[in-house]
């Protein structure tokens, strides 16, 4: 109604106008927001989204939908425009903004999005059809603690070939979540591969629960265990049968004394 | 330099090409052969395999990769086809294909003739890099001629395209999507329950071994070893112009007189020639044409020697059944006469005679199984070997075809005229028939060559004035072309008196049983060889073939006689599923 001139008066010179985003994840206020292009990410997340809820430390924001890249907290000063996002290995895409915190494993997060794009592949061109499947298999291995250091180079090479040779935008952008997490969160990949550990405690294969000496043998954990794999008696430290444990985390959540540890 | 041409550089070499030329063709023009698995000049662009990617320079000095098969050349473009990144991308793509392909080269029928295998060698790929899930789809062995092996399929789409764009049969599709994609008939039907006409053009296009011959080599080998039956064989016209390619000779090499020697070494006792059957077909079909000219129709008379075409007609155009010549194909004529005339003369029961037909065609395997091609439960032809299978059988028996001494086919069913061999070339069947028909209508005129029927045109049309009749002629090859002509005849747009249809592009020389590769250029060279063979024959008219004269005088009476009808003619019926 107000015309092109008015629309172009907001935003930046190269990217004029506004953009609608879907802000979600670890922020106080989620929802659809329309902002002028060029606004710093932090402004959007902290001001409009109200920042993270109490006790939560934000780690990254994944921008652009399933084929977008993850931008780490230390780059939240980045203005939101097409070129800046591209420079960080992300995209404007569908305008999705998913804020993650320390309880998000960036490897599992990238795997989740790749599983989506892999499933959506039409199957016409070889790099997308076959390549995303092999990337997903490598990520599966890493999140299960069976990764090798060479896998990281392999992921980078596959991702780059898929990006550069796929026939359409789906294949060309499918590797973004993996490449951007490899760039900004390589440490998490290394932890999975070298230390066989998921720092965020998300990847179940790498997770163990055990009961510490501070156990007061109240039995609450055993009563809440859905597979009854916790046993014990009054006055003794309770014990988790690791072979039967399904790593649901129920014991960890219900223990009133913080005596269940996960690592 | 020609006007409107644009200049670009490929690998720092300046190239001038017409606008719209693809980078692939521009590169080939300067001797740069970029690898592809899904591109084929006969088909529309696919851009599925991405092996043909090349590096294109952007204005800002950065580069991008583009598929050269589908990317048009533009003025001032800077293209590099063999950079480190390009080679790496191609290598990764080949490795990705291998990860979803059986690791079974030694037992694969395409071993040594597989384009994927060649690429592995060219890109020095010496290990299987990615381990993981594979598509596992059962093979389809439902038809008598062609088997499908989706485990081997790389989904390049060439079979789908040749079936859709060239043959217009549409028997194959992409089923499912993403990693689960399978190239197969729609609705997961076995091939035998579809409109597939078994022409085998898909097999010729397949870069790997996903579509194969149903091989009869082992069966024929066993019969040769047993030596229990009288072993007879016939060889189709097109074989002599193509089999040399499988022994390292250039396309168009003629091995007519080597073949009988090879067959005798294999243990065959009577070496017949399908060319003789072709001469007989000319006699019968030629007289059908004369009969229809006298009766005023029905027109057009349509040839029936290509079984792929016959099956196509029965599925898609059964309304043309009254137009079809009832004459059997040359293969079936030789088969019938072997089990009747020949068996009688030798004093043996037909069941004691075994006949192998060596054919350029996969649909011939279907033809021998039709009920009308058996007598008292005995097939007239017992087994068909394609050109490729014939070469396999020769190798198995340590026979090096090109170095054999010459010898001749056996009398009577091995004696033929130049007209007979013409059946191997598109338009040749009609030309052969017209030689005889003209000579009957205008005795002594001896018209031998009909230029309008020569050459590679998909739809060749012309008219011929013979006596006081003007005959409108049309010869087509490739079933997409057949559709065009049939539709025009149906709508009344076109009048044709005599129509030749060959199912395969290039006719029999381009048949689905022919050596790999079979390209347009190779087809043309085989056609030239057929013409040369015709010209070299002392007798070039079917009715002057002494063997033909002998068969009629001592056995059949005359063309279209009651006995000829009983033995040499057949019928057709609409076939399910009805094609659209």
């Amino acid at each position: 109604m107000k015309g092109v001139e008015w629309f172009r008066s907001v935003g930046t010179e190269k990217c004029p106008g506004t953009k609608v985003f879907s802000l979600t994840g670890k922020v106080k206020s989620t929802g659809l927001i329309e902002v002028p292009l060029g606004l710093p990410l932090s402004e959007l997340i902290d001001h409009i989204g109200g920042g993270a809820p109490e006790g939560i430390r934000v780690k990254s924001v994944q921008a652009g939908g399933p084929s977008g890249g993850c931008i780490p907290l230390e780059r939240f000063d980045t203005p939101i425009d097409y070129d800046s996002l591209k420079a960080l290995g992300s995209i404007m895409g569908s305008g999705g903004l998913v804020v993650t915190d320390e309880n998000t494993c960036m490897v599992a997060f990238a795997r989740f999005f790749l599983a989506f794009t892999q499933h959506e592949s039409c199957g016409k061109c070889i790099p997308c059809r076959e390549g995303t499947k092999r990337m997903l298999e490598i990520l599966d291995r890493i999140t299960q603690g069976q990764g090798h250091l060479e896998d990281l180079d392999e992921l980078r090479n596959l991702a780059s070939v898929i990006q550069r040779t796929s026939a359409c935008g789906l294949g060309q952008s499918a590797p973004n979540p993996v490449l951007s997490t490899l760039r900004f969160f390589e440490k998490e990949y290394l932890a999975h591969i070298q230390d066989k550990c998921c720092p965020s405690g998300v990847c179940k294969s790498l997770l163990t629960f055990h009961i510490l000496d501070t156990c007061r043998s109240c039995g609450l954990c055993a009563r809440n265990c859905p597979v009854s794999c916790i046993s014990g008696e009054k006055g003794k430290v309770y014990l988790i049968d690791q072979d039967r444990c399904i790593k649901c985390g129920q014991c960890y959540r219900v223990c009133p004394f913080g005596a269940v540890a996960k690592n | 330099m020609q006007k409107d041409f644009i200049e670009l550089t490929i690998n720092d070499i300046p190239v001038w090409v017409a606008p719209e030329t693809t980078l692939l063709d521009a590169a080939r023009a300067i001797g740069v052969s970029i690898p592809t698995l899904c591109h084929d000049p006969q088909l529309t662009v696919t851009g599925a395999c991405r092996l043909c990617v090349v590096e294109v320079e952007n204005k800002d000095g950065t580069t991008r990769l583009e598929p050269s098969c589908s990317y048009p050349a533009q003025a001032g473009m800077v293209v590099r086809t063999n950079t480190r990144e390009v080679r790496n991308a191609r290598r990764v793509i080949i490795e990705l294909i291998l990860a979803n392909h059986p690791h079974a080269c030694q037992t694969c029928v395409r071993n040594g003739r597989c384009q994927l295998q060649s690429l592995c060698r060219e890109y020095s790929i010496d290990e299987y890099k990615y381990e993981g899930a594979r598509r596992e789809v059962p093979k389809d062995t439902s038809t008598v001629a062609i088997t499908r092996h989706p485990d081997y399929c790389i989904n390049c789409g060439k079979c789908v395209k040749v079936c859709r764009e060239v043959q217009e049969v549409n028997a194959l599709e992409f089923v499912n999507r993403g990693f689960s994609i399978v190239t197969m008939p729609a609705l997961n039907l076995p091939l035998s329950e579809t409109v597939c006409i078994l022409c085998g053009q898909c097999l010729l296009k397949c870069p790997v071994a996903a579509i194969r011959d149903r091989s009869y080599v082992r069966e024929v080998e066993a019969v040769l070893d047993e030596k229990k039956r009288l072993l007879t064989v016939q060889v189709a016209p097109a074989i002599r112009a193509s089999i040399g390619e499988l022994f390292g000779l250039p396309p168009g090499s003629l091995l007519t007189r080597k073949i009988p020697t090879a067959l005798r070494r294999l243990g065959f006792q009577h070496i017949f020639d399908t060319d003789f059957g072709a001469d007989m077909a000319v006699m019968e079909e030629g007289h059908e044409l004369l009969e229809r000219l006298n009766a005023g129709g029905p027109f057009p008379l349509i040839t029936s020697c290509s079984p792929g075409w016959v099956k196509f007609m029965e599925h898609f155009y059964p309304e043309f059944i009254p137009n079809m010549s009832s004459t059997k194909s040359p293969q079936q004529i030789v088969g019938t006469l072997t089990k009747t005339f020949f068996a009688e003369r030798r004093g043996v029961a037909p069941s004691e005679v075994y006949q192998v037909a060596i054919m350029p065609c996969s649909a011939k395997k279907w033809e021998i199984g039709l009920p009308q091609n058996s007598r008292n439960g005995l097939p007239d032809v017992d087994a068909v070997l394609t050109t490729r299978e014939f070469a396999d059988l020769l190798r198995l028996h340590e026979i090096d075809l090109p170095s054999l001494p010459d010898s001749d086919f056996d009398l009577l069913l091995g004696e033929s005229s130049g007209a007979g061999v013409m059946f191997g070339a598109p338009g040749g069947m009609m030309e052969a028939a017209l030689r005889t028909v003209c000579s009957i209508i205008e005795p002594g005129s001896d018209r031998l060559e009909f230029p309008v029927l020569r050459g590679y045109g998909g739809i060749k049309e012309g008219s011929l004035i013979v006596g006081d009749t003007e005959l409108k002629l049309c010869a087509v090859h490739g079933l997409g072309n057949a559709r065009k002509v049939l539709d025009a005849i149906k709508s009344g747009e076109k009048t044709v008196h005599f129509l030749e249809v060959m199912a395969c592009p290039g006719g029999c020389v381009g048949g689905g049983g022919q050596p790999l590769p079979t390209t347009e250029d190779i087809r043309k060279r085989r056609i030239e060889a057929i013409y040369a063979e015709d010209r070299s024959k002392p007798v070039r008219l079917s009715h002057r073939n002494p063997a033909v004269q002998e068969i009629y005088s001592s056995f059949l009476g005359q063309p279209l006689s009651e006995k000829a009808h009983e033995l040499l003619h057949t019928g057709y019926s609409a076939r399910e599923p009805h094609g659209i």
Side-chain angles (χ1 to χ4, degrees):
Chain A
M1 291 301 120
K2 292 180 181 171
V4 177
E5 286 311 312
W6 174 85
F7 186 75
R8 291 182 68 91
S9 71
V10 291
T12 67
E13 196 179 340
K14 258 186 105 178
C15 301
T18 64
K19 176 86 181 85
V20 178
F21 292 94
S22 170
L23 183 63
T24 179
K26 301 295 165 68
V27 281
K28 282 182 188 145
S29 328
T30 61
L32 291 173
I33 50 171
E34 183 177 8
V35 294
L37 284 165
L39 207 67
L41 268 170
S42 53
E43 176 76 7
L44 212 142
I45 291 162
D46 294 339
H47 189 225
I48 303 173
E54 294 302 315
I56 281 181
R57 282 178 58 197
V58 167
K59 183 149 82 179
S60 80
V61 62
Q62 201 256 3
S67 4
C70 294
I71 300 161
L73 181 67
E74 52 278 19
R75 301 294 185 96
F76 275 17
D77 55 346
T78 306
I80 302 191
D81 61 57
Y82 291 91
D83 293 337
S84 309
L85 287 177
K86 197 178 166 195
L88 289 176
S90 189
I91 52 173
M92 195 72 84
S94 61
L97 288 174
V98 185
V99 180
T100 73
D101 70 352
E102 283 178 329
N103 293 321
T104 308
C105 166
M106 298 313 283
V107 184
F109 194 63
R111 191 211 153 277
F112 172 82
F113 286 114
L114 188 73
F116 174 81
T117 41
Q118 190 268 328
H119 184 258
E120 291 304 310
S121 169
C122 81
K124 177 183 166 173
C125 78
I126 292 170
C128 175
R129 180 183 75 223
E130 309 288 340
T132 54
K133 178 76 175 177
R134 301 307 160 209
M135 282 182 72
L136 187 62
E137 286 174 341
I138 295 174
L139 287 174
D140 279 339
R141 284 205 301 273
I142 294 175
T143 53
Q144 287 160 10
Q146 288 156 17
H148 304 282
L149 268 182
E150 307 87 80
D151 284 343
L152 299 186
D153 284 339
E154 196 47 62
L155 273 177
R156 287 192 177 96
N157 191 31
L158 264 175
S160 142
V161 171
I162 296 166
Q163 268 186 336
R164 298 270 281 177
T165 65
S166 287
C168 83
L170 186 116
Q172 287 159 15
S173 61
N176 285 343
V178 181
L179 280 177
S180 61
T181 48
L182 272 171
R183 176 171 165 193
F184 296 116
F185 301 97
E186 192 181 11
K187 263 195 213 159
E188 293 197 25
Y189 283 85
L190 292 173
H192 285 73
I193 293 169
Q194 292 177 317
D195 311 335
K196 309 293 174 204
C197 133
C198 172
S200 312
V202 170
C203 298
K204 278 189 182 173
S205 307
L206 298 178
L207 212 55
T208 51
F209 289 90
H210 57 271
I211 298 171
L212 304 173
D213 289 347
T214 46
C215 171
R216 308 274 284 272
S217 52
C218 69
L220 198 58
C221 56
R223 285 199 296 283
N224 278 281
C225 175
V227 293
S228 306
C229 73
I230 305 177
S231 56
E233 54 188 84
K234 268 270 171 260
K236 285 190 175 168
V237 172
Y238 271 54
L239 193 71
I240 299 174
D241 180 348
Q242 295 297 339
D243 291 340
R244 285 161 57 215
C245 172
I246 59 166
K247 295 163 187 180
C248 66
Q250 194 64 2
C251 52
Y252 177 79
R253 279 185 291 275
V254 298
C255 179
F257 311 109
V260 179
K262 76 171 176 181
N263 48 33
Chain B
M1 199 35 59
Q2 202 170 328
K3 223 179 122 196
D4 296 336
F5 269 42
I6 51 175
E7 184 184 349
L8 64 154
T9 69
I10 297 179
N11 301 345
D12 301 320
I13 303 165
V15 195
W16 290 268
V17 292
E20 299 301 308
T21 306
T22 62
L23 292 180
L24 183 73
D25 289 337
R28 285 182 179 173
I30 55 160
V32 174
S33 61
I34 296 170
T36 70
L37 282 173
C38 70
H39 176 78
D40 188 290
Q42 203 188 355
L43 308 172
T44 55
V45 165
T46 300
C49 76
R50 319 304 283 181
L51 269 172
C52 68
V53 286
V54 294
E55 192 183 279
V56 176
E57 212 172 279
N58 295 322
K59 286 203 178 85
D60 62 4
T62 59
T63 61
R64 64 188 193 273
L65 298 184
E66 295 290 357
S68 59
C69 70
S70 51
Y71 208 87
Q74 284 153 19
M77 234 177 177
V78 177
V79 179
R80 288 181 192 89
T81 67
N82 205 283
T83 62
R84 195 174 177 79
E85 190 197 1
V86 166
R87 283 193 303 270
N88 175 58
R90 289 179 189 161
R91 240 176 222 140
V92 167
I93 291 167
I94 297 167
E95 283 160 346
L96 286 172
I97 299 172
L98 289 183
N100 209 344
H101 190 83
H103 301 168
C105 284
Q106 297 91 332
T107 53
C108 179
V109 290
R110 283 286 181 103
N111 191 7
R113 287 173 287 184
C114 170
Q115 292 175 33
L116 179 60
Q117 203 181 38
S118 312
L119 278 172
C120 289
R121 203 168 49 238
E122 284 166 31
Y123 281 80
S124 16
I125 287 165
D126 51 9
E127 60 173 354
Y128 297 110
K129 191 157 184 188
Y130 305 108
E131 299 283 336
R134 296 238 192 113
R135 265 184 308 277
E136 281 176 21
V137 187
K139 60 185 176 185
D140 176 356
T141 56
S142 62
T143 82
V144 292
I146 283 175
T147 60
R148 292 189 318 103
H149 303 256
D151 285 359
Y152 286 74
C153 177
I154 61 166
N155 292 295
C156 68
K158 284 202 276 195
C159 55
V160 176
K161 289 207 155 182
V162 75
C163 196
R164 180 184 300 159
E165 296 172 5
V166 178
Q167 298 299 62
E168 297 190 25
V169 169
N170 292 301
L172 292 172
E173 254 309 333
F174 296 112
V175 174
N176 303 332
R177 66 174 175 83
F179 192 74
S180 315
I181 197 168
V182 187
T183 306
M184 66 186 302
L187 307 174
N188 293 358
L189 287 173
L191 205 54
S192 60
E193 290 174 28
T194 70
V195 291
C196 170
I197 54 154
L198 304 171
C199 68
Q201 291 302 309
C202 51
L203 189 156
L204 294 181
K205 294 290 182 209
C206 183
V208 289
I211 302 177
R212 307 179 187 176
D213 285 313
R214 172 182 281 271
S215 176
Y216 291 84
V217 171
R218 293 273 184 119
E219 187 181 317
V220 172
E221 181 195 353
V223 173
L224 288 171
D225 286 345
E226 281 168 18
K227 296 188 173 68
K228 277 189 186 150
R229 294 163 78 178
L230 196 57
L231 298 170
T232 66
V233 61
Q234 59 167 308
V235 185
I239 309 294
R240 62 212 70 196
S242 63
I243 182 88
E245 293 161 36
L246 293 170
F247 289 88
L249 299 179
S253 305
L254 274 169
L255 292 178
T256 314
R257 299 189 68 220
K258 309 282 184 199
I259 293 170
T261 315
L263 291 167
R264 282 189 190 98
R265 286 199 185 178
L266 281 174
F268 285 103
Q269 293 149 289
H270 297 273
I271 319 297
F272 299 147
D273 198 342
T274 314
D275 292 18
F276 164 79
D279 279 334
M280 293 297 296
V282 163
M283 297 303 288
E284 294 296 319
E285 194 162 334
H287 282 84
E288 279 188 75
L289 180 62
L290 290 167
E291 214 173 51
R292 291 202 194 186
L293 285 170
N294 285 332
F299 291 118
L301 172 69
I302 310 178
T303 62
S304 60
C305 44
S306 165
W309 149 241
V310 170
K311 193 166 188 283
F312 178 84
M313 181 278 299
E314 290 182 337
H315 281 296
F316 293 87
Y317 289 90
E319 62 272 30
F320 280 96
I321 286 177
N323 295 79
M324 293 293 286
S325 158
S326 64
T327 306
K328 283 183 181 173
S329 72
Q331 165 180 273
Q332 291 309 136
I333 290 176
V334 174
T336 309
L337 291 176
T338 303
K339 301 262 170 119
T340 55
F341 170 81
F342 170 78
E344 257 176 67
R345 278 213 167 175
R346 299 282 306 185
V348 294
S351 58
E352 298 296 307
V353 183
Y354 189 83
Q355 172 140 93
V356 176
I358 296 166
M359 292 286 142
C361 176
S362 40
K364 287 285 174 192
K365 292 180 177 177
W366 168 81
E367 192 183 54
I368 63 168
L370 292 175
Q372 58 266 41
N373 290 330
S374 284
R375 211 175 313 282
N376 307 321
L378 276 180
D380 288 334
V381 176
D382 294 276
V384 169
L385 297 179
T386 61
T387 321
R388 298 182 293 268
E389 289 172 83
F390 180 37
D392 288 346
L393 189 71
L394 292 176
R395 286 225 172 72
L396 181 67
H397 289 82
E398 304 164 352
I399 296 170
D400 179 37
L401 189 65
S403 48
L404 297 186
D406 286 350
S407 70
D408 288 313
F409 288 87
D410 287 324
L411 294 177
L412 283 169
L413 310 187
E415 186 161 2
S416 63
S417 76
V421 81
M422 283 297 285
F423 276 55
M429 195 269 136
M430 179 176 277
E431 183 167 327
L434 290 175
R435 288 181 191 176
T436 287
V437 167
C438 288
S439 136
I440 291 170
I441 298 178
E442 297 173 337
S445 69
D446 276 17
R447 294 202 217 175
L448 284 179
E449 296 191 5
F450 299 79
V452 296
L453 299 174
R454 293 282 168 124
Y456 199 73
I459 301 177
K460 289 177 276 192
E461 290 178 282
S463 63
L464 176 73
I465 293 171
V466 52
D468 50 7
T469 317
E470 186 190 5
L471 269 181
K472 293 223 180 281
L473 309 173
C474 181
V476 301
H477 57 100
L479 292 169
N481 292 326
R483 261 186 197 267
K484 287 191 193 91
V485 171
L486 293 173
D487 289 342
I489 291 171
K490 256 165 65 173
S491 68
E493 201 180 303
K494 208 185 267 291
T495 305
V496 180
H497 295 111
F498 194 12
L499 171 63
E500 176 196 296
V501 185
M502 291 291 164
C504 294
C508 301
V509 296
Q514 290 284 48
L516 297 163
T518 289
T519 61
E520 192 170 304
D521 176 59
I522 291 173
R523 287 178 167 107
K524 286 177 180 165
R525 292 207 254 169
R526 293 176 191 156
I527 291 170
E528 286 308 318
I530 295 282
Y531 292 160
E533 175 82 354
D534 164 41
R535 282 192 295 271
S536 76
K537 288 274 198 175
V539 177
R540 295 179 69 189
L541 292 101
S542 299
H543 61 285
R544 301 225 176 109
N545 175 351
V548 169
Q549 292 168 350
E550 164 71 16
I551 291 273
Y552 279 110
S553 66
S554 70
F555 186 65
L556 292 170
Q558 58 198 21
L560 304 184
S561 69
E562 202 176 311
K563 192 161 190 182
H565 258 294
E566 183 204 327
L567 295 179
L568 306 187
H569 288 256
T570 186
Y572 314 97
S573 51
R575 191 171 287 278
E576 290 292 327
H578 186 64
I580 46 168

